[in-house]
Amino acid sequence: MKFFVDTAEISEITELNELGMVDGVTTNPSLIKKSGRDIIGVTREICSIVSGPVSAEVTATKSDEIIAEGRKLGSLASNIAVKVPLTWDGLKACKTLRSDGFMVNVTLCFSANQALLAAKADASFISPFIGRLDDINLDGMGLINDIRIIYDNFGFETEILAASIRTVNHVLDSARIGADVITAPPGVIKSLVNHPLTDKGLAVFLADIEKTGQKIL
Ligand code: G3P
């Protein structure tokens, strides 16, 4: 399963990239606003750091304008995945941008029917938002499972990019279901390593070997 980092903060991307845990990056207009940077500049910088897909989201809503913005974003670097909303205009633009040769990430997906449309529009990635469904007491992981079944039924090549991830359990359950990618905030990815028994066991090992006075170097 690929790990994408859901942020536009250069320092966070760099830190995780040095751990070898960054297979790609996703941004969105809210993450761009939070970064305080301009879309073009920060996107170009992210692409210079990360070799995997970097999702950059359009801000237009009409298909012809989405296509124009997508072509501009896609021209920034070869690893750009143009992010378009799951609307009829977004789906129409997706087909055109894919025929142009760009990667396209169809975002703001909240139903399996929407995901079916994205696959039929030849999306490179579909971004179902787990956390935002859970936030309103709907079943975010159930959506990932439904999309996995449907895509496997018909051999759709669109990659399931599980998004809006809030917890390590979202990561675990996405892996169990077989999502191709998760995109998560840096903090969630970093917390995957945590377990109290690991910390306790390491402390005991180090204390015991210290009592022997031995050193390897
Ligand atoms: O960037 C796409 C998605 O992961 C954002 O989800 O709910 O954390 O804003 P959210």
Side-chain angles (χ1 to χ4, degrees), residues 6 26 28 31 83 129 132 163-164 166 183:
D6 202 26
T26 52
N28 63 44
L31 291 172
K83 222 176 185 183
F129 280 33
R132 295 194 191 185
S164 188
R166 301 271 198 278
T183 192

Side-chain angles (χ1 to χ4, degrees), residues 45-115:
E45 186 171 355
I46 294 171
C47 289
S48 72
I49 298 168
V50 174
S51 58
V54 175
S55 288
E57 190 160 345
V58 300
T59 59
T61 55
K62 297 299 179 193
S63 60
D64 57 338
E65 294 169 5
I66 293 172
I67 292 165
E69 288 190 4
R71 286 169 172 161
K72 179 170 183 180
L73 292 172
S75 69
L76 295 176
S78 60
N79 57 327
I80 287 280
V82 179
K83 222 176 185 183
V84 303
L86 214 158
T87 61
W88 281 121
D89 282 89
L91 293 168
K92 183 178 178 184
C94 177
K95 287 189 80 86
T96 300
L97 290 166
R98 289 289 290 132
S99 64
D100 286 351
F102 296 113
M103 287 187 284
V104 177
N105 177 359
V106 178
T107 190
L108 288 168
C109 172
F110 295 97
S111 79
N113 279 329
Q114 286 180 320

Side-chain angles (χ1 to χ4, degrees), residues 147-180:
I147 298 171
R148 181 73 284 158
I149 291 168
I150 292 165
Y151 280 17
D152 291 350
N153 284 349
F154 302 100
F156 287 128
E157 294 184 3
T158 301
E159 292 190 63
I160 302 172
L161 199 169
S164 188
I165 284 190
R166 301 271 198 278
T167 69
V168 295
N169 287 333
H170 282 161
V171 177
L172 177 60
D173 290 340
S174 294
R176 283 181 174 138
I177 290 167
D180 300 283

Side-chain angles (χ1 to χ4, degrees), residues 4 12-13 27 33 40 43 54 57 62 71 96-97 100 110 112 146 162 177 187 190 193 207 211:
F4 289 6
E12 292 177 334
I13 295 168
T27 66
K33 175 178 179 285
I40 302 300
T43 301
V54 175
E57 190 160 345
K62 297 299 179 193
R71 286 169 172 161
T96 300
L97 290 166
D100 286 351
F110 295 97
D146 285 348
I177 290 167
K190 283 195 275 189
V193 75
K211 289 171 188 164

